[in-house]
Amino acid sequence: MSGNNPGIKPPSDWKTGDEPETAAQRSYLETLSREAGEEPPEPLTKADAAKHIEQLQERTGRGQGS
């Protein structure tokens, strides 16, 4: 999680966090959602997408050791 990495701002502190999610975030959310057996979320902000990605990574085991 980003909160455990010194020097990395949490998504809630991003200056662009209120902007729409990026195409890469959308694609990864769709992949992770399928792997978790869920429907992908509605379009999110960049910050909310980052948070949701972290949650899905924890549930699917992806992103561990990063």
Side-chain angles (χ1 to χ4, degrees):
M1 263 180 144
S2 60
N4 297 332
N5 296 324
I8 298 178
K9 287 184 180 180
S12 58
D13 291 344
W14 295 352
K15 289 183 181 182
T16 60
D18 289 334
E19 293 178 4
E21 66 193 7
T22 65
Q25 284 178 310
R26 170 53 35 191
S27 177
Y28 196 38
L29 278 168
E30 290 173 357
T31 298
L32 289 171
S33 294
R34 278 194 306 273
E35 288 181 9
E38 302 178 1
E39 289 293 317
E42 295 294 318
L44 303 167
T45 64
K46 285 182 183 179
D48 287 340
K51 291 175 192 174
H52 201 76
I53 286 169
E54 284 183 5
Q55 293 168 353
L56 287 170
Q57 284 177 326
E58 289 177 12
R59 284 193 292 218
T60 63
R62 278 195 178 228
Q64 293 183 359
S66 304

